Amino acid sequence: MTEITRVALDAMGGDNAPGEMVKGAVDAVAREKSIKVFLVGKEEAIRRELEGCTYNSEQIEIVNATEVIETAEPPVNAIRRKKDSSIVVGMKMVKAGEADAFVSAGSSGAILVGGQTLVGRIKGVERPPLAPLIPTKTGVSLLVDCGANVDARASHLVQFAKMGSIYMENIMGVKNPRVGIVNIGAEEEKGNALVKETFPLLKETEGINFIGSVEARDIPHGAADVIVCEAFAGNIILKLYEGVGDVLIKKVKAGMMTSLRSKIGALLVKPALKETLKAFDASEHGGAPLLGLNGLVVKTHGSSRSKEVTNTLIQCVTFKQQRINEKIKNCIQTDAASAE
Amino acid sequence: MTEITRVALDAMGGDNAPGEMVKGAVDAVAREKSIKVFLVGKEEAIRRELEGCTYNSEQIEIVNATEVIETAEPPVNAIRRKKDSSIVVGMKMVKAGEADAFVSAGSSGAILVGGQTLVGRIKGVERPPLAPLIPTKTGVSLLVDCGANVDARASHLVQFAKMGSIYMENIMGVKNPRVGIVNIGAEEEKGNALVKETFPLLKETEGINFIGSVEARDIPHGAADVIVCEAFAGNIILKLYEGVGDVLIKKVKAGMMTSLRSKIGALLVKPALKETLKAFDASEHGGAPLLGLNGLVVKTHGSSRSKEVTNTLIQCVTFKQQRINEKIKNCIQTDAASAE
């Protein structure tokens, strides 16, 4: 019998909820038989979206939650007060063991706070990092941490490297993933205080393939599989990727419209271009897991459409089947034991 | 009588020295009558490059320097030991008042160290930042600091904002330039410890147009004219710009080569595309000044070709004519006086 992965999906989170969330769930269950999706949110609204959709009714269930946490709300308060919000209800399902994973395109702050306080950390994990896959010339790299822990300490970064390696090896199938620390030069003596403190620790960490410093310039070229950094730097990397990509693509399009000759050319290159650029689109690669929690919590883009939701839901199945959390637990707790 | 701007150019610095450096100087003096360029470096090598070039001999002079500081050398040692290197000799000319500016595509570390120890800071300036112009959708923004002062303090960032504003207003002609601090969210309460400390200080700084936080995603869209950040973050921004741009352009080119149809299209769009993308090329905008020194020091890309060298040399003329350093001096020293 196939093991079922149960995912609580925040039907109310993100710019395109509930429509694209529900569509993402419907598409996911059509593609993957071993998943069950709980659509958490306002029952009426969800039911309306499900009307007319064809799906295996054993694979989709609505869980009513009457409140919604808005992006602008201060996260700590929101999690504490809105007990019947889709985020709180969904996370509590993970905590209670009724779901294996929670997926949301909603407020990042609330997801980070809720992940730590409602779902809880794996024993020994100091700071759970948010770890999206970012596109590179040759594939993808995992960026840990892209926004959960600003002003992180060296010991946190070492755990990021370990958890990131487990993720890339088991979810993405990268053998012996190369771990690099984001730095402002390739030499070991370069860097800020945090990098200088972390570098020697990473060098002596067993079980990871540390390749040293990675300059931001080389990240898009695929210089490392696991890119370790503090969250302020990681957030800049993630968002600048989007920003530069967005502006450049607009420039390319505008350039193609400047003359009749180029307009004709544009018609000819467009289909091929679209295909190539798809690989460089972050939303193709699903959401960002918050690593190191007692259960899986995944944040998808606020602007997620159904395709990203579907991809993320299906990633949850791999996450469960590959026993990622048990591997993280073993890795972190072995260290704690040997440190005693 | 026109005022002459005297620039000491490191003829030995960068990947394409001395050839492209000398060519850059020859082109600059052809374009700009009020400049005099001292080519600092190995006399023989420079003379060979100058052979066959036509130029006004009153505008170009060779200054012999027998040593070269390599990029890989530890900068402090290199500056101390290689007294007859092009960097040390050129900077000492600025210190002695024999040149107004020093331009180099050589070792960043040596230029930063030499700038501080040989040329020296304007009284009151705590940390001279390296401030390149970065391309945006609509024009350019000044990024301060992109690499001179990692782990900078809040008071340094406030000075970066002031010096950056003076530069953008007087060199680039941007009236009342918008100053933004790089942050991981738009709300005032977001950020790391440094940003949280700096934000209120910038809010109360007189004489600058502080518009608040700028997310990395919005930098390429031209969200602010002066982008203030600590050097580790700034270096990531500068280098990721290059990296993402480089990979995306390669993807676009590869995409165009995937079918016969797209290849024909590529021939038609290429000229228009080249023109549009030129505006998004950092080397079009000259080098990065090290602001706040007793004289002008400019670092150009290690891979600079003659065009970037020429643009940078001509920028030095504007820098002198606009009396940037006197304006910085007045602005910083007024503050120091009012703080007493």
Side-chain angles (χ1 to χ4, degrees):
Chain A
M1 211 189 96
T2 336
E3 183 184 48
I4 299 294
T5 301
R6 301 153 306 160
V7 185
L9 172 64
D10 178 2
M12 313 310 288
D15 309 337
N16 306 306
E20 295 287 317
M21 302 301 123
V22 172
K23 186 170 183 317
V26 169
D27 292 347
V29 302
R31 254 172 68 188
E32 176 61 58
K33 291 298 149 216
S34 67
I35 194 170
K36 168 151 191 181
V37 181
F38 296 97
L39 289 167
V40 187
K42 296 183 176 175
E43 193 167 356
E44 284 298 297
I46 297 170
R47 206 170 290 285
R48 257 197 312 276
E49 294 294 336
L50 277 173
E51 263 169 33
C53 293
T54 312
Y55 57 92
N56 177 355
S57 61
E58 283 182 15
Q59 282 187 272
I60 291 192
E61 189 175 316
I62 299 175
V63 175
N64 191 33
T66 58
E67 294 176 294
V68 174
I69 295 178
E70 306 294 340
T71 313
E73 285 181 75
V76 176
N77 265 339
I79 289 291
R80 198 178 298 151
R81 297 215 178 125
K82 291 194 168 169
K83 300 233 184 289
D84 202 36
S85 62
S86 51
I87 291 180
V88 172
V89 171
M91 285 196 171
K92 282 193 171 162
M93 290 176 71
V94 176
K95 176 68 177 177
E98 295 158 22
D100 302 298
F102 174 68
V103 171
S104 175
S107 154
S108 300
I111 295 165
L112 297 179
V113 171
Q116 296 229 33
T117 59
L118 300 176
V119 178
R121 283 174 281 142
I122 290 173
K123 201 183 154 199
V125 170
E126 297 179 53
R127 292 274 188 286
L130 197 58
L133 288 168
I134 54 172
T136 67
K137 199 166 72 179
T138 47
V140 287
S141 299
L142 192 75
L143 180 68
V144 262
D145 173 9
C146 88
N149 311 282
V150 290
D151 297 323
R153 289 203 296 271
S155 62
H156 307 155
L157 267 63
V158 171
Q159 291 197 338
F160 298 172
K162 289 178 185 172
M163 293 191 279
S165 296
I166 291 172
Y167 190 90
M168 282 307 273
E169 180 131 16
N170 294 282
I171 301 282
M172 302 306 294
V174 178
K175 287 279 153 257
N176 204 20
R178 298 159 302 153
V179 176
I181 187 165
V182 177
N183 205 352
I184 58 171
E187 303 83 5
E188 187 168 346
E189 72 276 8
K190 287 222 176 173
N192 58 8
L194 176 65
V195 170
K196 283 179 185 165
E197 190 188 342
T198 310
F199 198 103
L201 298 179
L202 286 172
K203 259 173 92 171
E204 62 194 30
T205 299
E206 280 173 33
I208 64 166
N209 176 17
F210 180 55
I211 60 162
S213 294
V214 170
E215 284 198 79
R217 181 195 289 126
D218 300 322
I219 296 174
H221 290 273
D225 303 303
V226 179
I227 311 279
V228 172
C229 58
E230 174 275 332
F232 193 83
N235 198 268
I236 290 176
I237 293 169
L238 184 70
K239 291 185 176 162
L240 199 61
Y241 241 85
E242 290 176 31
V244 172
D246 189 31
V247 168
L248 257 180
I249 297 303
K250 286 204 175 94
K251 286 258 172 205
V252 167
K253 284 181 182 162
M256 287 179 176
M257 290 298 131
T258 48
S259 70
L260 180 61
R261 175 188 155 132
S262 65
K263 278 181 194 167
I264 296 168
L267 286 175
L268 297 171
V269 297
K270 230 181 216 170
L273 217 51
K274 211 172 163 185
E275 201 49 45
T276 331
L277 291 177
K278 213 168 79 175
F280 213 72
D281 175 1
S283 68
E284 286 290 317
H285 305 291
L290 197 53
L291 296 174
L293 296 180
N294 286 313
L296 175 60
V297 171
V298 187
K299 165 81 179 89
T300 63
H301 287 83
S303 57
S304 293
R305 301 216 160 262
S306 64
K307 190 172 63 178
E308 183 174 351
V309 177
T310 303
N311 287 342
T312 304
L313 291 171
I314 288 169
Q315 258 176 24
C316 294
V317 178
T318 320
F319 196 94
K320 182 173 185 190
Q321 286 177 350
Q322 292 291 331
R323 307 262 175 277
I324 300 300
N325 272 0
E326 279 155 53
K327 283 169 183 157
I328 289 178
K329 218 171 280 181
N330 288 338
C331 161
I332 299 289
Q333 289 173 358
T334 311
D335 288 352
S338 68
E340 273 164 17
Chain B
M1 209 190 97
T2 336
E3 182 185 49
I4 298 294
T5 301
R6 300 152 306 160
V7 186
L9 172 65
D10 177 2
M12 313 311 287
D15 308 338
N16 307 305
E20 295 288 317
M21 303 300 123
V22 172
K23 185 169 184 317
V26 169
D27 293 346
V29 302
R31 255 172 66 188
E32 175 61 60
K33 291 298 148 216
S34 67
I35 194 170
K36 169 152 190 181
V37 180
F38 297 96
L39 289 166
V40 186
K42 297 182 174 175
E43 192 167 357
E44 284 297 297
I46 297 170
R47 204 171 292 285
R48 258 197 309 277
E49 294 294 336
L50 277 173
E51 262 169 33
C53 294
T54 313
Y55 58 93
N56 176 355
S57 62
E58 284 182 13
Q59 283 186 271
I60 291 190
E61 189 175 314
I62 299 174
V63 174
N64 191 33
T66 57
E67 293 175 294
V68 175
I69 294 178
E70 306 295 339
T71 313
E73 283 182 75
V76 176
N77 265 341
I79 290 291
R80 196 178 300 151
R81 299 217 176 122
K82 290 192 166 170
K83 300 233 185 290
D84 202 36
S85 62
S86 50
I87 291 181
V88 172
V89 170
M91 285 197 171
K92 283 193 171 161
M93 289 177 71
V94 176
K95 175 70 176 176
E98 296 157 22
D100 302 297
F102 174 68
V103 171
S104 175
S107 155
S108 301
I111 294 165
L112 297 179
V113 170
Q116 296 230 32
T117 59
L118 299 176
V119 178
R121 285 174 281 142
I122 290 174
K123 201 183 154 198
V125 170
E126 298 180 52
R127 293 274 188 286
L130 197 59
L133 288 168
I134 54 172
T136 68
K137 200 166 71 178
T138 48
V140 286
S141 300
L142 191 75
L143 180 68
V144 259
D145 171 9
C146 88
N149 311 283
V150 290
D151 298 321
R153 288 203 297 269
S155 62
H156 306 155
L157 266 62
V158 172
Q159 290 196 338
F160 297 172
K162 290 179 186 172
M163 293 191 280
S165 296
I166 292 171
Y167 191 89
M168 281 308 273
E169 180 132 17
N170 295 283
I171 301 280
M172 302 306 293
V174 178
K175 286 280 154 254
N176 203 21
R178 298 159 301 153
V179 176
I181 186 166
V182 177
N183 204 351
I184 58 170
E187 303 83 5
E188 187 168 345
E189 72 276 7
K190 287 222 176 171
N192 57 9
L194 176 65
V195 170
K196 284 180 185 165
E197 190 187 343
T198 310
F199 198 102
L201 299 178
L202 286 173
K203 260 175 91 171
E204 62 194 30
T205 299
E206 281 172 32
I208 64 165
N209 175 17
F210 180 55
I211 58 162
S213 293
V214 171
E215 283 198 81
R217 181 194 289 124
D218 300 322
I219 296 173
H221 290 272
D225 303 304
V226 179
I227 310 278
V228 173
C229 58
E230 173 274 333
F232 194 83
N235 198 268
I236 290 176
I237 293 169
L238 183 70
K239 290 186 176 163
L240 198 61
Y241 241 84
E242 290 176 31
V244 172
D246 189 31
V247 168
L248 257 179
I249 297 302
K250 287 205 175 95
K251 287 259 171 203
V252 167
K253 284 181 182 162
M256 287 178 176
M257 290 298 131
T258 48
S259 69
L260 180 61
R261 175 188 157 133
S262 65
K263 278 182 195 167
I264 296 167
L267 287 175
L268 297 170
V269 298
K270 231 180 215 169
L273 216 52
K274 211 172 163 185
E275 201 49 44
T276 331
L277 292 177
K278 214 169 78 175
F280 213 73
D281 176 1
S283 68
E284 286 291 315
H285 305 290
L290 197 52
L291 296 174
L293 297 180
N294 286 314
L296 175 60
V297 170
V298 187
K299 164 81 179 90
T300 64
H301 287 82
S303 57
S304 293
R305 301 217 160 261
S306 64
K307 190 173 60 177
E308 183 174 351
V309 176
T310 302
N311 287 341
T312 304
L313 291 170
I314 288 169
Q315 259 176 23
C316 295
V317 177
T318 319
F319 196 94
K320 181 174 186 188
Q321 286 177 352
Q322 293 291 331
R323 307 266 175 272
I324 299 299
N325 272 0
E326 279 155 53
K327 284 169 184 157
I328 289 178
K329 219 173 279 181
N330 288 339
C331 160
I332 299 289
Q333 287 171 1
T334 310
D335 290 350
S338 68
E340 271 164 18

